[in-house]
Amino acid sequence: MRAPRLVGRAHELAALRRMLGEARSGASSVVCLEGTPGIGKTALLRAAVAMARESDFTVVTAQASAIERDFPFAVVRQLFEPVIARASSAERMALLTGSAVHATQALTAEPPAPGIQVSPALLHATFHGLYWLTANLTASSPVLLAVDEVQWADAPSLRWLSYLLRRIESMPLVVLFTLTIGEEAAEAHLVTDLVNAAYRVRLDALAAEDVASLAEDVFGVDTDPDFAAACHAATGGNPFLIRELLYALEHEDVKPTAEAVPTIRELGPQALARSVTARLQRHALPV
Ligand SMILES: Nc1ncnc2c1ncn2[C@@H]1O[C@H](COP(=O)(O)OP(=O)(O)O)[C@@H](O)[C@H]1O
Ligand SMILES: [Mg+2]
């Protein structure tokens, strides 16, 4: 089996490539990839990260999660701690020069004790410092800043991201978010503010011919169009479900021919339910 590859996303990949190109010439972009679970948001974000690395961008990424959304600046820390940790001491001085030094409030400071309010002046200095840290990062190469599952980001990080977006027009920077539709965001109004400032790309279901090419990856042979159409119908074109179904069929030794269509109709929902349940159990959160 060949390495997983993206199918049916030529337009989205071209748009991302164009934005990276524009960033190289000093024009920023903000883009939000949105869609239902399993539709391929993270896969596309990873493709953008790979393209950016190939073009010598500095890439800073964060994966927001429900577990961390109560931790102030959790997303900001994920974004910037690794670049600062990797930097030589000279590079670190350059990154944290001038007002950027106040970024360390968010990155290293102890969180305030419960009930203690951070003064607006200190918060503003921290936001400004993080903005300058971003600006300083763009001084040596263009930057891709990517946040997966932005609806789970903590409130201070969401506020800071909105603050950043209002100040980046002529920076060599691409800001990329993914947003899962149908999840109730913890900080709905902050998330709405943020994604409304982005170029929003809604990811649609894959087409039947995309299913055929994924099936060819899995089975290593040409597949019958009726087989692909039946898999498409059983999964609604959701890439996650398509992969689960194809692996389940391969596991059951079903061949990708028209004869398999009744089996897919019958086995499809059961196979999907089994593999999705197994996966959910593996990822179950401790309570
Ligand atoms: N366009 C695509 N072509 C092939 N596989 C895909 C595509 N999009 C997603 N996948 C695969 O489907 C699964 C779910 O995708 P993922 O990006 O994790 O979804 P999301 O982040 O929207 O929940 C992953 O295994 C991914 O590799
Ligand atoms: Mg995802």
Side-chain angles (χ1 to χ4, degrees), residues 38 40-43 63 148-149 178 180:
K41 302 175 296 297
T42 302
Q63 167 83 57
D148 200 12
E149 302 278 15
T178 74
T180 299

Side-chain angles (χ1 to χ4, degrees), residues 4-237:
R5 64 189 173 90
L6 294 189
V7 299
R9 297 290 185 232
H11 289 306
E12 292 82 356
L13 286 167
L16 289 166
R17 187 166 290 121
R18 198 177 54 242
M19 288 175 192
L20 292 169
E22 285 168 5
R24 292 185 74 87
S25 41
S28 68
S29 302
V30 185
V31 59
C32 180
L33 306 171
E34 48 193 71
T36 50
I39 202 70
K41 302 175 296 297
T42 302
L44 209 46
L45 178 142
R46 289 198 181 128
V49 165
M51 285 192 288
R53 291 214 167 105
E54 272 165 29
S55 309
D56 293 324
F57 276 57
T58 301
V59 177
V60 293
T61 62
Q63 167 83 57
S65 83
I67 300 172
E68 294 186 30
R69 75 184 147 172
D70 293 331
F71 303 158
F73 289 119
V75 160
V76 161
R77 282 181 181 230
Q78 279 192 45
L79 289 170
F80 294 114
E81 268 174 351
V83 267
I84 292 186
R86 268 199 316 267
S88 66
S89 51
E91 286 166 341
R92 192 169 310 143
M93 270 180 51
L95 284 177
L96 295 173
T97 189
S99 299
V101 72
H102 297 293
T104 53
Q105 280 299 332
L107 301 177
T108 56
E110 293 281 317
I116 303 290
Q117 286 288 321
V118 175
S119 76
L122 181 60
L123 197 59
H124 186 212
T126 309
F127 275 25
H128 195 59
L130 288 165
Y131 159 76
W132 272 106
L133 170 58
T134 312
N136 291 343
L137 259 185
T138 63
S140 46
S141 56
V143 172
L144 171 65
L145 184 158
V147 180
D148 200 12
E149 302 278 15
V150 76
Q151 77 281 356
W152 295 127
D154 62 280
S157 294
L158 286 168
R159 287 210 173 87
W160 177 70
L161 286 165
S162 284
Y163 177 97
L164 177 73
L165 296 193
R166 288 194 288 273
R167 291 164 172 78
I168 58 172
E169 210 167 309
S170 54
M171 269 193 209
L173 174 69
V174 175
V175 180
L176 171 59
F177 305 121
T178 74
L179 174 74
T180 299
I181 292 170
E183 308 263 25
E184 206 176 309
E187 304 288 347
H189 65 289
L190 296 178
V191 174
T192 306
D193 271 3
L194 198 59
V195 299
N196 281 345
Y199 171 63
R200 301 176 72 163
V201 178
R202 175 80 184 245
L203 299 186
D204 291 324
L206 297 182
E209 59 264 28
D210 301 324
V211 180
S213 64
L214 285 180
E216 280 157 26
D217 285 355
V218 171
F219 290 93
V221 292
D222 285 353
T223 55
D224 189 282
D226 289 346
F227 173 90
C231 291
H232 187 249
T235 57

